[in-house]
Amino acid sequence: MAILDREEYIEQAYFFKTFLERLDEDLPSQEILTSIKEEILGTTKLPLALDVLRGEMLLKGRLCEGMALLKHYFAPFQTFVMKQAEEDRTKFDQRVALQILEREARYRAENGNPAGLFVYQFECISRNRLGYDRGMTAISEDPVYNADWREWILRSRLQLGTVEFADLIYFRSEFYLEERRKLVDPHEVPTVPLLFSRQEGRIAKANRGKDPLLLFAALQRQLGYPAVPRSQSSRDLKLPPHLEMRLQRMEKRIQLLEAEAKGKLDLSEFYAQPRSFEDPPDIGEGISK
């Protein structure tokens, strides 16, 4: 697979974003693919890819099947994320997967920095528990990474759990070499390729021994790395007022049924309470008198 043109990644980002929006409108996936094809630039290869995706969707019911056939167009990490979302046994939401792919495609179109792309992809795997073994392997097969990057990614896959992620970045950064030259030998030459810049090395050193999520957040603030989308928690979900009222009525009915089954049904709260003589008369009654 070769690195695609910038316009391809722009159209990919639009495709993933629009597909998610129309899924929320309860439209069938086949119709969504057909309508989006008419909106995509005809000078790109994405319309042809959408034909393959639609055919596999009709045949097998999954987008990842079509993406796996188009290895020359969709990156292995993109296929891996969609496959994990469409697995029956996983709890990974397809909507989150589409948001991940949209932001990744947008970052490829705007920047395409291998360091930023790797950190984003790694955070996607760790946050959503997609599996480091297959996930890191899929990342290493991305054409944006050269041979040095691929070797380091596959080696880091075996070191996870024994070496901190901040250390993995720090020891392969220009900042680490700069410190070695100050403290040890001013003419020291790196024995391994340096993959991260001075800024990334400084941020990684400042976050050694801390939660990796703090490192991700710092890289996003300082260097503009894309933020990983998160699944919406139940606290963030707000029902419309009419649905909330229906739920309250249903809860009340269930409580009454449970009380009746236990023989503890008390309907006194529903009785009309007689007005006390000490209560002041209504305004309407005073006027009529």
Side-chain angles (χ1 to χ4, degrees):
M1 177 184 175
I3 299 178
L4 303 178
D5 295 334
R6 179 174 176 270
E7 65 177 4
E8 297 284 353
Y9 293 123
I10 294 175
E11 295 303 292
Q12 281 189 15
Y14 175 79
F15 160 61
F16 293 126
K17 178 176 179 291
T18 309
F19 191 90
L20 174 59
E21 291 175 350
R22 296 180 186 176
L23 273 183
D24 291 335
E25 298 174 1
D26 296 329
L27 296 176
S29 299
Q30 297 86 348
E31 294 183 9
I32 296 175
L33 293 173
T34 302
S35 61
I36 294 179
K37 178 187 174 183
E38 302 299 326
E39 304 171 22
I40 298 297
L41 285 179
T43 54
T44 64
K45 299 177 182 179
L46 185 54
L48 299 177
L50 293 181
D51 284 336
V52 177
L53 295 183
R54 185 175 182 275
E56 291 299 314
M57 176 65 72
L58 291 171
L59 184 62
K60 300 180 180 179
R62 294 186 177 185
L63 282 177
C64 65
E65 300 291 343
M67 296 175 70
L69 295 176
L70 301 172
K71 297 181 180 179
H72 59 284
Y73 188 75
F74 291 107
F77 179 77
Q78 294 176 316
T79 305
F80 168 76
V81 170
M82 186 55 63
K83 183 178 180 180
Q84 292 297 105
E86 293 179 332
E87 286 286 344
D88 297 331
R89 298 180 180 180
T90 61
K91 297 181 180 180
F92 184 41
D93 190 0
Q94 186 184 25
R95 288 170 169 78
V96 178
L98 290 169
Q99 291 177 0
I100 288 175
L101 297 181
E102 178 209 342
R103 296 186 186 183
E104 189 212 34
R106 189 186 304 122
Y107 185 74
R108 288 175 185 267
E110 295 174 353
N111 192 328
N113 178 20
L117 186 63
F118 168 76
V119 172
Y120 174 77
Q121 292 173 337
F122 182 83
E123 186 182 357
C124 290
I125 292 175
S126 60
R127 276 192 181 275
N128 297 285
R129 302 178 181 179
L130 302 183
Y132 290 110
D133 187 29
R134 290 183 296 171
M136 295 284 281
T137 302
I139 291 175
S140 67
E141 296 172 355
D142 197 296
V144 76
Y145 304 115
N146 57 25
D148 295 331
W149 268 102
R150 284 193 291 272
E151 180 184 358
W152 178 79
I153 291 173
L154 293 176
R155 181 177 299 177
S156 300
R157 174 175 61 98
L158 303 177
Q159 296 176 334
L160 292 174
T162 58
V163 181
E164 290 187 18
F165 185 69
D167 288 338
L168 293 175
I169 295 178
Y170 171 63
F171 290 127
R172 282 299 187 100
S173 67
E174 297 175 359
F175 183 68
Y176 174 71
L177 177 62
E178 180 181 318
E179 288 194 325
R180 290 281 299 177
R181 286 176 175 175
K182 289 180 180 179
L183 300 175
V184 181
D185 182 6
H187 303 289
E188 182 172 349
V189 178
T191 58
V192 292
L194 301 179
L195 305 177
F196 296 93
S197 66
R198 182 177 184 274
Q199 289 178 303
E200 291 153 347
R202 285 171 56 87
I203 296 172
K205 183 181 180 181
N207 286 274
R208 296 177 70 183
K210 299 181 180 179
D211 191 333
L213 297 180
L214 300 178
L215 172 61
F216 297 143
L219 290 170
Q220 292 164 12
R221 292 194 308 269
Q222 295 291 333
L223 303 181
Y225 286 0
V228 175
R230 306 179 188 180
S231 57
Q232 195 174 19
S233 63
S234 57
R235 298 178 181 177
D236 300 332
L237 297 175
K238 294 184 178 180
L239 294 175
H242 65 282
L243 291 181
E244 189 172 355
M245 187 177 298
R246 284 189 178 183
L247 284 177
Q248 292 176 357
R249 292 175 180 172
M250 291 176 63
E251 289 178 358
K252 192 63 178 178
R253 291 175 182 175
I254 292 174
Q255 291 176 1
L256 291 174
L257 290 173
E258 291 177 349
E260 184 179 7
K262 296 178 181 179
K264 298 180 180 180
L265 182 61
D266 182 15
L267 300 178
S268 60
E269 61 177 307
F270 301 101
Y271 295 161
Q273 300 294 331
R275 192 178 66 181
S276 174
F277 292 102
E278 297 179 357
D279 294 340
D282 295 336
I283 298 177
E285 295 180 359
I287 294 175
S288 61
K289 291 180 180 179

